[in-house]
Amino acid sequence: QSALTQPASVSGSPGQSITISCTGTSSDVGNYDLVSWYQHHPGKAPRVIIYEGTKRPSGVSDRFSGSKSGNTASLTISGLQAEDEADYYCCSYAGSSIFVVFGGGTKVTVL
Amino acid sequence: QVQLVESGGGLVKPGGSLRVSCAASGFTFSKYYMSWIRQAPGKGLEWISYISSSGDAINYADSVKGRFTISRDNAENSLYLQMDSLRAEDTAVYYCARAPRQWLLLNWFDPWGQGTLVTVSS
């Protein structure tokens, strides 16, 4: 069982917006603004799309955005496109000993 | 371009050992923290170890502490993970991943390799 809880799947039609939640505890998500999100097309290398909660690396579409409320972080994909179909993982800093914890992943399907 | 390529995965019996490697190219390997992250079949990701740029700072997840050893060879631009006393639950795709900034241990990873599959089974 993963330390962070994500829905197993989320789907949407092209052009729609979807949101993926990532629920942790006051020891990880709730205690730090240090959540990152990764997009993973099976068989390929995972790619960071959000870091430090809300920041996008260069080259990542502004259709991806991150937010947080309490112990839950969220990733929103707006203007859903076929190429967004992938698995998405959240990750949170959890202190110097544990370092980081990940979520179980969410499969995004574009209908 | 920046690239990480894992190798060395395979089938190993419970209690056995295996060493996986990660070849880095396209950046100054010696300036970056590196991590190993794994994904068991049907499961989420799990960070298992990091090593500092010089190799003098190392940390492990409790699930592998005492069984796995991370190391690096900066002259060869390579990262290693020696896995001993392997268990069925160590079956996973093992990814190497770089810290996104030179010299700093940050809590996110960029880029990642494509992974190498390690299967522990009799």
Side-chain angles (χ1 to χ4, degrees):
Chain A
Q1 186 169 349
S2 299
L4 305 180
T5 300
Q6 299 180 233
S9 63
V10 173
S11 61
S13 299
Q16 285 187 330
S17 293
I18 61 170
T19 296
I20 301 169
S21 61
C22 169
T23 301
T25 70
S26 58
S27 297
D28 38 63
V29 175
N31 198 36
Y32 308 96
D33 290 328
L34 294 174
V35 172
S36 51
W37 289 89
Y38 301 87
Q39 179 190 60
H40 187 207
H41 291 100
K44 295 194 172 182
R47 176 179 79 128
V48 62
I49 53 174
I50 295 289
Y51 68 97
E52 294 175 1
T54 61
K55 300 176 182 177
R56 276 188 311 276
S58 61
V60 172
S61 171
D62 60 4
R63 298 186 297 104
F64 295 95
S65 62
S67 62
K68 192 187 87 168
S69 177
N71 294 338
T72 298
S74 297
L75 172 72
T76 297
I77 309 174
S78 58
L80 200 61
Q81 298 180 1
E83 68 212 46
D84 299 331
E85 191 161 286
D87 298 320
Y88 292 83
Y89 295 89
C90 62
C91 173
S92 175
Y93 183 65
S96 60
S97 179
I98 295 174
F99 186 42
V100 297
V101 289
F102 283 93
T106 298
K107 181 175 181 59
V108 168
T109 300
V110 181
L111 301 172
Chain B
Q1 74 279 21
V2 175
Q3 194 170 14
L4 299 171
V5 179
E6 300 91 339
S7 62
L11 176 63
V12 60
K13 289 181 168 52
S17 298
L18 195 67
R19 188 179 84 155
V20 292
S21 303
C22 170
S25 60
F27 64 99
T28 305
F29 179 72
S30 61
K31 294 183 177 180
Y32 289 86
Y33 276 75
M34 298 293 296
S35 283
W36 286 101
I37 297 162
R38 69 182 179 184
Q39 183 174 29
K43 305 291 186 183
L45 296 166
E46 178 189 18
W47 169 82
I48 56 174
S49 184
Y50 70 67
I51 185 169
S52 63
S53 53
S54 63
D56 59 354
I58 286 173
N59 195 10
Y60 298 99
D62 286 345
S63 58
V64 305
K65 199 172 293 184
R67 300 187 300 121
F68 289 12
T69 303
I70 191 172
S71 63
R72 65 190 296 158
D73 184 338
N74 286 342
E76 295 292 327
N77 294 330
S78 293
L79 175 73
Y80 305 103
L81 185 68
Q82 176 67 41
M83 302 181 287
D84 298 320
S85 303
L86 282 162
R87 308 166 180 167
E89 54 263 37
D90 295 318
T91 294
V93 175
Y94 285 75
Y95 298 96
C96 65
R98 194 195 73 176
R101 305 283 186 263
Q102 294 181 13
W103 308 119
L104 298 177
L105 174 61
L106 296 176
N107 45 77
W108 53 289
F109 310 97
D110 180 43
W112 300 50
Q114 291 190 304
T116 187
L117 175 62
V118 173
T119 302
V120 184
S121 174
S122 55

